[in-house]
Amino acid sequence: MSDRFAIPKSISKTAIDSLHAKLSAVDAGWLGTNDNNDSSSSLDGYTQILEQIHDGIEGPHSKRRRQTPLVNAGYAARMAVMTFILEKWIDSVVSRHHNNEGINVVVLGCGLDVLGLWSRNVLDEALTEHHHHDENQTPRLNVYEVDAWDNCLLKQHALERSGILKACRTTNKRNDDSAKESSFCAMIEGTINKATRKDDLSDYHLIAMDFRDICEDNLLLKKALDSTGFDPSQPTIILSELVLAYVGNESTNAILQSISRDLLCGNECSMFACLEPMLPTQVGQHHDSTNKKQLLSVKESYARDYANQFLGKLNRGTSSSSSSSADDDVFHPLGSNRETIIARFISCGFSMSNLDAASLRKAVAKVACTRRLSAKEPFDEHAALALNLDCYAVACAFGGSNNDGDVRCLLPWLDQSLNNSSSTIKIATIADSSQDKLVGDLYGRIYTHLYKKYPAIRKMVKSALKADLMADTTNDSSAIKNRFRARGGEFWIAIDMESFEVVGCIGVRQRKTKECEDEDDKEGPSSPFSVVEYEVQRLGVDDKHRGKGIGKRLLNAVYEYSLRQGILEKKKKKGVSVKLLAVTPEALVNANSLYNAFGFIKEESFEGGLTMNVYCKTTMI
C-alpha cells in the first residue's frame, strides 16, 4: 500500500485553485445562469453550491480571485460539458423509469467541485418535468464522492461549515494510527439539505482513499463503495474531471478496469464520463542538440508546451530523485489523441461499440448551442481557446447498448451513432458449418449486379468461395473460422435475430509484425516499436439491410480485435502500432465510402483487371 499521506500537496492546491477558477468564470458571466428573477436556470443551483463550498473554505466575506478571460473561458467550457452530461443522463433515467428505483452518482476525484451535490437539484427538476409527484414513486438518489485523503479533509471542512448537509455523520481518521491499516475511510455520511424524501437514510457519502492503491488491490474501489451500500445494479453514472491524469498510468488502467468490471456491470442505463488531458504522452524530456529539428504544427507545438507547463506546475514543490522513473511524475495524459484513448479503454475491458471520445472543443461547440455558455466579458482570444480546448478529451462509455436517440441526447457531439443498427441485428463470430453455408450464399449473391460490367469482380467472388469461404459439410465446426484463426485472424457475421439470416460478414487476418524505429518521433529521440499489420477481408452486407449501420459495426469488430491483439503485443514491447489494411475495388462505392467514414486513408490504387484502392488506418498504442 502506498503512503496516502504522501499525496503531493500540489494536488490539494489544485483543488482549491480549480474552485477559485470556476467561480471566477461564473462571476465573469461565462456560465449560462439566469439573471432574470422570474425564472431560473438549471445551473443556478450549481453555482450557488460552488459559492457555499467557497465560503466554507475561505469564509463568507473573503475576496474572490479573478482569472484572465482565457482561463475563465476554459473553465466555463469544462463546467458546461460536465454539467450537461450529468443533467441529460439523470433526465433520461427518470424518463425511462417510473418507480422508486435508486440512482447512483459516483464522482471520482471530487475535489471541491459540486457535481455530486448538485445532482439533487437536477433530479428534482427532472421529476417535476416528467410529472413525478408521488414521493413513494420517485427514485432515491445516492451520491458517492471519492478522493485523496487531503482533498477529502478540505471537502469535509467546507461541508461542515456550509450547512449543505443535514443529519451529517463525520469521521476523521487522518491522525488516527489505525487509519494507516485501512485503504479507505467513509469520512462523511449525510443527507443533502435539498432532499425531499422523509426517510432517514444517508444519500451522500464522502470516501477517502488513495487511488494509487488500486494497483495493488484491483477490487479496492468496489470495496470502498460497497462499504457505504453502493448497488451497481441501479442506474449509475461515474464522473471524473482531471483526476486520472494525476494517479499514474498503471493506476489509471486499474481504475478504468474497475469501472468497466465492477461499476458499469453491463447495465445499459449506466455510463462513465471523464474529462481528461489529451496531450503528448512523453513530456518533460530535453531534446538532444544532435537530433534533427522537427517540424511541428501550431496545434502540436501548443500541446507539447502546454503539457510541459502542466507538468512543471504540478512537480513544483515535490521531491525528485535521479532514480525515479517516468511513471513517478504526477501528470499523465489519458492519451495523445482519440484513437489512443479508445485503444486504452478497450485494453481495460470496455467495448468499442459502447464508447466514444472527442476533444473538449468539439463537445463544447454543441453544448454552447444550448445557451449553457455566454461570454459577458470582452474576449478576443478565440484561437488560443480553441488550441487549449483541443488539449482535453471527453471520453464516455456505456454499460450496454443504448437507444440511438438516448445516446444522441447525452452526447450531441457524436459524428455517428455508437450503435446505429437495428436492435434485431447481432454481430458475432461465426460458429458452425451451417453458418458457413449462409455466408457462402450471402457472398455469392451480393455482387451479382456488378458481374456483367466488371467480370473481374465475378472472378474474385468465385475465388473467395472456393478458398476461405468454402463450407465443409463433413464437419460441424466452422471451416471459415478455422481458416481465419489459423492465419492469426477472426471472422464475424451479422445475424438478423428475427429471421436468423446472415445479412453481413467480415474477416481479418494478420499479415506480419515488424520491428521499427520511430525516427520521426516529435517528442524525443527515436525509439524501437513493433508494427502489427492486419488486413480486412470479405466485407459484405445484404442489399436489403443497407443503411442500418451494419457495415460500421462489422468494421468496429475488426478494429477492436486488432487493437486487442496489439495490446497483447505491447506487453512485450515499449510501443506498438496497429496497421489495419483494406483492399477494395473502386467500383464498390459503398465499401469505399465506409472505409473513408471510418477513418481509413487511401494510400494507393493499382490495376488488377479493375481499379483497386488500398486503404490504411494506423493506431499507435
Side-chain angles (χ1 to χ4, degrees):
M1 186 190 307
S2 61
D3 181 4
R4 70 179 63 89
F5 304 117
I7 292 284
K9 291 183 179 179
S10 56
I11 293 179
S12 294
K13 183 178 183 300
T14 298
I16 297 175
D17 290 344
S18 177
L19 173 66
H20 286 294
K22 288 178 178 181
L23 280 172
S24 175
V26 170
D27 292 341
W30 276 94
L31 212 57
T33 55
N34 200 318
D35 295 326
N36 189 334
N37 292 328
D38 298 330
S39 61
S40 62
S41 162
S42 62
L43 291 178
D44 285 340
Y46 177 80
T47 58
Q48 287 168 7
I49 302 173
L50 271 180
E51 290 168 350
Q52 287 178 280
I53 292 292
H54 171 269
D55 292 346
I57 292 290
E58 304 285 0
H61 305 295
S62 61
K63 184 178 179 180
R64 300 274 187 88
R65 302 180 194 173
R66 192 64 178 260
Q67 304 290 337
T68 66
L70 181 59
V71 172
N72 286 337
Y75 272 89
R78 286 164 47 180
M79 288 188 286
V81 170
M82 295 302 286
T83 55
F84 178 89
I85 292 173
L86 178 58
E87 191 173 48
K88 292 298 183 182
W89 179 81
I90 289 179
D91 185 76
S92 71
V93 171
V94 170
S95 66
R96 286 187 288 176
H97 297 270
H98 303 286
N99 52 45
N100 59 352
E101 182 178 18
I103 295 177
N104 299 324
V105 176
V106 180
V107 185
L108 302 181
C110 57
L112 295 175
D113 192 57
V114 299
L115 279 172
L117 297 163
W118 176 65
S119 59
R120 166 53 63 185
N121 300 57
V122 178
L123 176 59
D124 288 346
E125 290 181 10
L127 293 172
T128 301
E129 176 73 20
H130 295 283
H131 308 292
H132 288 239
H133 301 297
D134 186 350
E135 178 189 313
N136 295 322
Q137 292 298 313
T138 60
R140 174 182 177 78
L141 177 71
N142 301 291
V143 178
Y144 306 88
E145 295 193 329
V146 189
D147 207 339
W149 294 76
D150 287 346
N151 283 353
C152 281
L153 285 173
L154 284 173
K155 191 70 165 277
Q156 182 185 46
H157 178 73
L159 290 172
E160 288 173 345
R161 296 181 62 187
S162 64
I164 294 174
L165 300 180
K166 62 182 179 182
C168 184
R169 298 185 298 276
T170 63
T171 301
N172 185 356
K173 294 186 178 181
R174 184 67 167 86
N175 297 315
D176 187 344
D177 290 339
S178 64
K180 297 180 180 180
E181 303 301 322
S182 176
S183 298
F184 56 84
C185 171
M187 297 185 71
I188 290 183
E189 291 187 350
T191 304
I192 301 173
N193 247 326
K194 193 173 175 60
T196 55
R197 294 176 66 105
K198 296 182 175 59
D199 55 43
D200 58 356
L201 297 176
S202 299
D203 61 9
Y204 176 83
H205 310 270
L206 179 63
I207 305 170
M209 65 176 289
D210 188 338
F211 288 118
R212 297 172 298 179
D213 288 341
I214 298 179
C215 281
E216 300 175 27
D217 182 356
N218 60 14
L219 293 175
L220 184 60
L221 181 58
K222 180 179 185 299
K223 292 176 183 176
L225 291 170
D226 286 350
S227 70
T228 59
F230 174 74
D231 181 1
S233 68
Q234 298 175 342
T236 301
I237 185 169
I238 304 103
L239 302 168
S240 78
E241 180 185 348
L242 267 67
V243 178
L244 303 180
Y246 299 127
V247 300
N249 284 321
E250 293 304 317
S251 297
T252 293
N253 291 339
I255 292 169
L256 291 175
Q257 290 164 9
S258 181
I259 291 171
S260 172
R261 180 188 65 239
D262 305 322
L263 305 190
L264 295 183
C265 298
N267 188 337
E268 66 178 19
C269 294
S270 297
M271 74 172 291
F272 169 55
C274 67
L275 194 160
E276 299 286 342
M278 181 171 63
L279 292 163
T281 53
Q282 297 176 359
V283 296
Q285 296 180 356
H286 297 287
H287 288 240
D288 192 325
S289 59
T290 61
N291 286 349
K292 60 183 180 180
K293 292 184 177 179
Q294 301 293 337
L295 294 176
L296 302 179
S297 68
V298 172
K299 182 177 177 180
E300 290 169 332
S301 180
Y302 182 93
R304 185 191 62 186
D305 292 344
Y306 187 68
N308 281 318
Q309 289 173 14
F310 214 138
L311 179 62
K313 177 182 176 183
L314 290 173
N315 277 335
R316 246 181 249 135
T318 61
S319 60
S320 60
S321 64
S322 58
S323 61
S324 61
S325 66
D327 201 61
D328 290 332
D329 289 329
V330 294
F331 176 69
H332 295 271
L334 190 60
S336 57
N337 52 42
R338 178 181 180 273
E339 283 72 23
T340 58
I341 290 173
I342 287 177
R344 186 172 197 174
F345 271 61
I346 290 172
S347 72
C348 294
F350 293 87
S351 170
M352 183 171 176
S353 61
N354 298 323
L355 71 90
D356 191 74
S359 71
L360 178 56
R361 178 163 70 108
K362 184 176 181 180
V364 82
K366 290 293 185 179
V367 171
C369 297
T370 66
R371 297 185 176 180
R372 194 165 289 255
L373 282 176
S374 57
K376 294 183 180 179
E377 66 177 345
F379 186 76
D380 59 2
E381 298 179 86
H382 299 284
L385 177 61
L387 289 170
N388 180 273
L389 298 183
D390 274 333
C391 291
Y392 294 91
V394 181
C396 299
F398 296 88
S401 298
N402 272 264
N403 176 276
D404 182 42
D406 292 333
V407 174
R408 285 254 174 223
C409 181
L410 289 166
L411 312 176
W413 49 85
L414 286 180
D415 287 330
Q416 300 180 20
S417 306
L418 296 184
N419 263 317
N420 61 352
S421 182
S422 167
S423 60
T424 63
I425 304 299
K426 178 182 178 181
I427 308 297
T429 54
I430 194 166
D432 53 42
S433 58
S434 65
Q435 292 181 340
D436 284 1
K437 185 178 184 308
L438 293 174
V439 167
D441 293 343
L442 169 72
Y443 207 77
R445 72 172 183 269
I446 56 179
Y447 299 119
T448 54
H449 63 289
L450 297 171
Y451 288 174
K452 186 174 182 180
K453 186 174 182 180
Y454 302 101
I457 291 181
R458 180 175 186 174
K459 184 177 180 180
M460 290 168 58
V461 170
K462 293 182 77 173
S463 174
L465 293 174
K466 289 181 179 180
D468 49 23
L469 296 187
M470 178 179 286
D472 182 0
T473 57
T474 65
N475 197 324
D476 290 338
S477 66
S478 169
I480 294 176
K481 176 177 68 176
N482 294 337
R483 292 188 194 107
F484 275 85
R485 287 189 174 180
R487 292 181 289 180
E490 189 58 271
F491 197 88
W492 295 264
I493 55 176
I495 309 171
D496 185 334
M497 298 306 292
E498 293 181 345
S499 64
F500 294 99
E501 289 183 285
V502 171
V503 298
C505 63
I506 196 170
V508 67
R509 70 176 182 89
Q510 186 172 0
R511 287 165 53 93
K512 58 186 175 181
T513 299
K514 58 183 180 180
E515 304 301 318
C516 300
E517 283 207 0
D518 188 7
E519 295 180 355
D520 295 325
D521 182 7
K522 297 172 183 176
E523 304 306 327
S526 62
S527 56
F529 68 99
S530 297
V531 177
V532 185
E533 291 187 3
Y534 286 88
E535 182 178 347
V536 180
Q537 295 184 331
R538 314 309 176 214
L539 170 61
V541 176
D542 192 317
D543 288 342
K544 295 181 296 183
H545 291 271
R546 293 191 185 279
K548 297 180 179 179
I550 296 173
K552 180 196 169 188
R553 292 178 65 191
L554 288 167
L555 267 181
N556 265 340
V558 167
Y559 185 53
E560 183 171 348
Y561 174 86
S562 65
L563 288 179
R564 290 191 186 280
Q565 298 306 306
I567 289 161
L568 292 176
E569 181 69 21
K570 189 176 180 181
K571 293 180 179 179
K572 311 171 192 175
K573 304 288 181 181
K574 184 176 181 180
V576 170
S577 177
V578 175
K579 188 175 184 179
L580 199 55
L581 298 168
V583 182
T584 192
E586 190 168 280
L588 301 183
V589 177
N590 290 331
N592 284 269
S593 298
L594 177 62
Y595 287 126
N596 280 313
F598 203 84
F600 282 75
I601 304 298
K602 187 167 81 169
E603 286 197 329
E604 61 175 319
S605 298
F606 64 90
E607 297 296 324
L610 73 167
T611 303
M612 304 291 290
N613 293 330
V614 180
Y615 290 90
C616 175
K617 182 179 177 71
T618 302
T619 304
M620 194 75 185
I621 57 177

